[in-house]
Amino acid sequence: MEFVQHITLFFESINTFLYTYLLVFMLIACGIYFSIRTRFIQFRFLPQVLKILREKSHEEHVSPFGALMISTASRVGIGNIVGVAFAMSVGGVGALFWMWVTALLGGASAFVESTLAQVYKRKDGAYNYKGGPAYYIQSALGSRSFGIVFAISLIACFIYGFNGLQAYTLTSIFEIYIGQDSFQNGYFRIFLGILLAILVVGFFYGKNKSSAFIASTLVPVMAIGYFGVATFVIITHFAELPRVFMHIFEQAFDFEAIFGGFAGSAMVIGIKRGLFSNEAGMGSAPNAAAAAHTTHPAKQGMVQTLSVFIDTLIICTATALVVLCSQENIQELKGMAIMQKVMQGYLGEFGLHFVSVAVTLFAFTSLIGNFFYAQMNFKFITDNKIALNMFRASAVFMVFVGTQIGFDLAWELADVFMGIMAIINIVAIVLLGNIALRVLRDYEMQCKAGKDPHFQASSVGITNAECWK
């Protein structure tokens, strides 16, 4: 137990350094830079996104909608429910405002990274594509070693960080049902860990298409169902909203509190949890964006901005309002227990069971979406089948390990690996941003000419994009 505490403190110190001195400033600066350079693409082209999502592709291809759902499967999960409650319990209610900031500015970063992923994607069989930061780093920057560094950071983040956290959260759901003593000291967690590991085997050893199918089926149903219940709660407590929003803005701009304890302030916690939730600029969603079949890279870039907004501005905000309108005493609670207590207070046993089932499904689909990203990056490093199967086995094992670790270690691991990965990707997209801007201008010129934009790499001076010749 003491060993685990030492590991937790070690990762906590790294976590504090990464976010306090580097990532907060890098994320905001990157978002502002690309918002200005793209003339706020995240707002200008939202009406076109709905049209793009209706585009059909060959039945074997991952459609733009399917790619959106894969990325949303990873984005929309425990970060939108448990993560929001955790952020406000640690950083205060003002953390929500800074989550909004990461989404609004991060939409431009998401556009750039996903457009680059589409430009430099590669064929993966007859009808599939693969790509992401590792691929555009190698192709556009000419550095395979830098690409491998990113791929390793993503694998560490999603398999050994995020999936451990997803598995822990899924397991923690059952504590309220079986009691704290039985949960902490009995064999239930071991049993559930083995069961969960068995369930993910079929997806981890299956085809990418199965991941897209379950994500495109379950994610919309879950998101709509959860948002519907949250909306009902908010409407029935509408009179509380002016007080709630005033409280959010007051704490968001409490600069004495921010600079008095910056690492634990609403700003840092909000940006950290916002990044975990919407992943804008982090380098994960481009892996799903690259898998889509579309006629122009900019289309998929715009689709990913929509995913960022769905995640944070809609679902995270709904969760926050549900928590803030509640009259329940949640000061001593952490993570999932906060949402279970709040929803039980609103809707009785139905509320408790509903949020438990919702988070279970969110966490499970996130396990699948996270593995989709990691496997693509592992294949960038090597296609050796023995090595790939060993990697898959380690991913299954980490799901089991995640069910056994504690709350603090689960979050610290996820945050550290996420921070390292985001730093690498931000450096890459800033260096390569001009390419995405040229692609955007090409898209805009074709739209002005009344065309349905179709991309040719040579028309913007790109010579090494194998899928766009």
Side-chain angles (χ1 to χ4, degrees):
M1 195 69 180
E2 186 176 345
F3 175 69
V4 173
Q5 291 176 343
H6 284 305
I7 294 177
T8 303
L9 289 173
F10 171 72
F11 279 102
E12 182 182 355
S13 63
I14 298 174
N15 190 354
T16 300
F17 174 80
L18 283 176
Y19 288 89
T20 303
Y21 300 105
L22 291 174
L23 261 175
V24 167
F25 305 104
M26 290 179 72
L27 283 166
I28 291 178
C30 185
I32 292 173
Y33 173 71
F34 283 125
S35 292
I36 294 171
R37 292 294 307 276
T38 62
R39 291 176 293 122
F40 294 90
I41 183 66
Q42 64 267 45
F43 307 122
R44 290 192 297 119
F45 282 98
L46 273 177
Q48 293 195 36
V49 170
L50 299 178
K51 179 180 178 182
I52 293 169
L53 289 175
R54 293 196 297 269
E55 291 183 357
K56 302 295 182 181
S57 61
H58 189 282
E59 62 179 7
E60 294 296 329
H61 282 303
V62 176
S63 67
F65 180 75
L68 173 66
M69 288 302 105
I70 292 174
S71 63
T72 305
S74 179
R75 282 191 173 114
V76 178
I78 65 170
N80 304 82
I81 303 176
V82 183
V84 173
F86 178 42
M88 293 191 298
S89 66
V90 175
V93 299
L96 178 63
F97 173 83
W98 295 104
M99 292 182 74
W100 293 337
V101 170
T102 63
L104 292 172
L105 294 178
S109 302
F111 170 82
V112 170
E113 64 183 359
S114 295
T115 299
L116 287 169
Q118 266 288 321
V119 170
Y120 293 104
K121 68 184 180 182
R122 299 178 185 178
K123 291 182 179 179
D124 185 20
Y127 298 104
N128 294 321
Y129 301 104
K130 59 184 178 181
Y135 293 86
Y136 58 67
I137 287 171
Q138 175 177 280
S139 297
L141 291 179
S143 176
R144 176 166 173 79
S145 59
F146 189 21
I148 289 174
V149 169
F150 176 84
I152 292 171
S153 73
L154 185 142
I155 292 166
C157 179
F158 278 82
I159 295 302
Y160 309 113
F162 285 4
N163 270 8
L165 178 57
Q166 302 285 358
Y168 165 78
T169 303
L170 195 156
T171 306
S172 71
I173 291 168
F174 295 91
E175 181 174 358
I176 196 171
Y177 293 102
I178 67 173
Q180 186 176 21
D181 289 339
S182 298
F183 182 80
Q184 296 293 342
N185 304 317
Y187 293 100
F188 177 80
R189 292 169 69 185
I190 295 176
F191 166 76
L192 191 59
I194 293 172
L195 177 62
L196 187 59
I198 292 172
L199 289 173
V200 300
V201 165
F203 295 101
F204 288 8
Y205 284 84
K207 295 182 179 180
N208 291 346
K209 194 69 179 179
S210 63
S211 299
F213 174 77
I214 191 169
S216 61
T217 302
L218 281 180
V219 170
V221 173
M222 290 187 302
I224 292 170
Y226 174 75
F227 183 68
V229 171
T231 300
F232 170 77
V233 170
I234 293 166
I235 290 173
T236 56
H237 293 76
F238 189 79
E240 294 291 319
L241 295 185
R243 174 190 62 81
V244 166
F245 279 104
M246 184 176 297
H247 195 192
I248 291 170
F249 287 107
E250 283 177 352
Q251 287 209 9
F253 294 100
D254 184 353
F255 290 108
E256 182 178 348
I258 289 175
F259 294 109
F262 192 64
S265 68
M267 177 186 286
V268 174
I269 298 298
I271 290 173
K272 188 188 297 185
R273 295 281 67 83
L275 178 63
F276 175 80
S277 180
N278 63 51
E279 303 175 15
M282 194 170 80
S284 51
N287 294 273
H293 176 74
T294 186
T295 62
H296 199 287
K299 290 182 177 181
Q300 192 55 222
M302 286 182 274
V303 165
Q304 292 307 316
T305 67
L306 177 62
S307 182
V308 171
F309 290 168
I310 290 172
D311 172 274
T312 305
L313 300 183
I314 297 178
I315 300 181
C316 286
T317 299
T319 295
L321 295 179
V322 166
V323 173
L324 294 175
C325 289
S326 173
Q327 302 300 315
E328 299 294 322
N329 182 7
I330 56 175
Q331 292 182 351
E332 303 299 322
L333 301 178
K334 286 184 176 181
M336 185 61 199
I338 294 175
M339 292 306 302
Q340 289 175 317
K341 179 76 170 179
V342 166
M343 292 301 287
Q344 188 174 26
Y346 284 125
L347 303 171
E349 291 300 303
F350 170 78
L352 169 64
H353 301 325
F354 174 81
V355 76
S356 298
V357 171
V359 173
T360 298
L361 294 175
F362 275 133
F364 187 76
T365 54
S366 291
L367 289 172
I368 298 168
N370 292 347
F371 178 80
F372 175 85
Y373 291 157
Q375 179 173 252
M376 187 180 296
N377 280 268
F378 190 89
K379 288 181 177 180
F380 174 83
I381 301 171
T382 178
D383 274 329
N384 182 279
K385 290 185 177 180
I386 295 176
L388 182 59
N389 284 327
M390 290 177 64
F391 158 71
R392 288 168 173 164
S394 75
V396 173
F397 180 67
M398 189 61 204
V399 170
F400 171 79
V401 171
T403 63
Q404 310 304 308
I405 61 179
F407 177 88
D408 292 330
L409 181 56
W411 281 98
E412 297 294 347
L413 277 172
D415 283 340
V416 167
F417 289 136
M418 175 178 70
I420 294 170
M421 176 179 147
I423 289 170
I424 296 171
N425 185 61
I426 289 171
V427 171
I429 64 175
V430 168
L431 292 173
L432 299 173
N434 284 333
I435 296 173
L437 294 172
R438 295 206 306 267
V439 173
L440 175 59
R441 285 195 292 270
D442 177 75
Y443 179 88
E444 291 177 312
M445 288 174 61
Q446 292 192 50
C447 285
K448 287 180 180 178
K451 301 177 181 178
D452 176 19
H454 282 65
F455 184 67
Q456 284 190 328
S458 59
S459 65
V460 295
I462 299 173
T463 59
N464 56 346
E466 71 173 48
C467 294
W468 299 101
K469 295 180 180 178

